[in-house]
């Protein structure tokens, strides 16, 4: 599985990358322009993303604009399979979430990020099987423990983000 984690928060990007990495390559982008560029490169390389985790509150292009541009690029190329897009947001504003859904978001993951919920989406989308998800989740837990041990993510911050 090829995935892209897009968030302006380095902590959220790191967490998303660690959740997704056991399933395959996970690229990251910190703003809307980087996300659009990465998506374009993946299409040009003939290896489109299977999954994109997309924050709505991004600099340069917000998540709604990025989502719109991604879906337009997929339509223009007439791709047989579109990327699954999970909106990752702290916004509880129904209008923004409804707009994201109208533009083709497949799911919404509210912050703080809950690893089990994202992994369940991967299973629901058919991107991973049950056995792979359980194994990868164990790897994720070990990776997060290593980050905390190395003080790359303070335990208190991690507890708030993941719950």
């Amino acid at each position: 599985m090829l995935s892209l984690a897009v968030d302006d928060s380095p902590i959220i990007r790191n967490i998303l990358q660690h959740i997704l990495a056991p399933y395959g390559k996970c690229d990251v982008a910190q703003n809307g322009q980087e996300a659009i560029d990465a998506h374009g490169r993946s299409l040009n390389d003939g290896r489109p993303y299977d999954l994109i985790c997309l924050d709505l509150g991004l600099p340069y292009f917000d998540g709604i604009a990025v989502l719109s541009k991604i879906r337009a690029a997929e339509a223009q190329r007439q791709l047989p399979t579109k990327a699954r897009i999970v909106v990752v947001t702290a916004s509880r504003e129904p209008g923004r979430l409804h707009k994201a859904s109208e533009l083709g978001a497949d799911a919404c993951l509210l912050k703080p990020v809950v690893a089990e919920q994202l992994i369940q989406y991967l299973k629901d989308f058919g991107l991973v099987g049950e056995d792979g998800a359980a194994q990868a989740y164990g790897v994720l837990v070990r990776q997060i423990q290593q980050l905390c041990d190395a003080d790359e993510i303070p335990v208190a911050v991690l507890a708030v983000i993941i719950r």
Side-chain angles (χ1 to χ4, degrees):
M1 178 179 77
L2 183 60
S3 59
L4 175 64
V6 185
D7 203 293
D8 56 330
S9 164
I11 293 174
I12 299 294
R13 278 194 317 272
N14 198 328
I15 288 171
L16 289 170
Q17 189 173 30
H18 277 75
I19 293 169
L20 297 170
Y23 303 105
K25 187 173 188 305
C26 179
D27 296 330
V28 295
Q30 63 183 346
N31 61 55
Q33 185 62 58
E34 285 184 12
I36 292 166
D37 293 346
H39 182 256
R41 278 191 307 275
S42 77
L43 295 179
N44 290 337
D45 292 346
R47 296 191 50 205
Y49 289 110
D50 300 300
L51 176 78
I52 300 172
C53 292
L54 179 63
D55 183 19
L56 289 183
L58 295 169
Y60 302 110
F61 291 103
D62 73 359
I64 296 293
V66 173
L67 176 58
S68 178
K69 289 178 182 294
I70 287 171
R71 290 305 190 215
E74 291 172 336
Q76 180 182 11
R77 292 180 188 235
Q78 300 178 338
L79 297 178
T81 306
K82 295 188 268 182
R84 295 299 193 134
I85 297 179
V86 176
V87 170
V88 181
T89 183
S91 174
R92 302 315 199 251
E93 185 182 324
R96 286 180 58 94
L97 299 176
H98 182 71
K99 182 67 172 174
S101 179
E102 283 180 343
L103 289 172
D106 296 288
C108 179
L109 183 62
L110 295 175
K111 294 178 184 177
V113 173
V114 178
E116 293 92 345
Q117 188 176 7
L118 180 53
I119 292 168
Q120 185 60 52
Y121 285 142
L122 299 179
K123 290 186 229 177
D124 293 348
F125 298 154
L127 296 174
V128 299
E130 290 289 331
D131 293 342
Q135 182 180 10
Y137 185 71
V139 170
L140 169 66
V141 169
R142 286 189 297 281
Q143 289 173 336
I144 290 174
Q145 287 171 338
Q146 289 170 348
L147 286 171
C148 289
D149 291 344
D151 288 332
E152 290 186 37
I153 297 178
V155 175
V157 171
L158 184 66
V160 169
I161 292 171
I162 295 181
R163 283 189 200 169

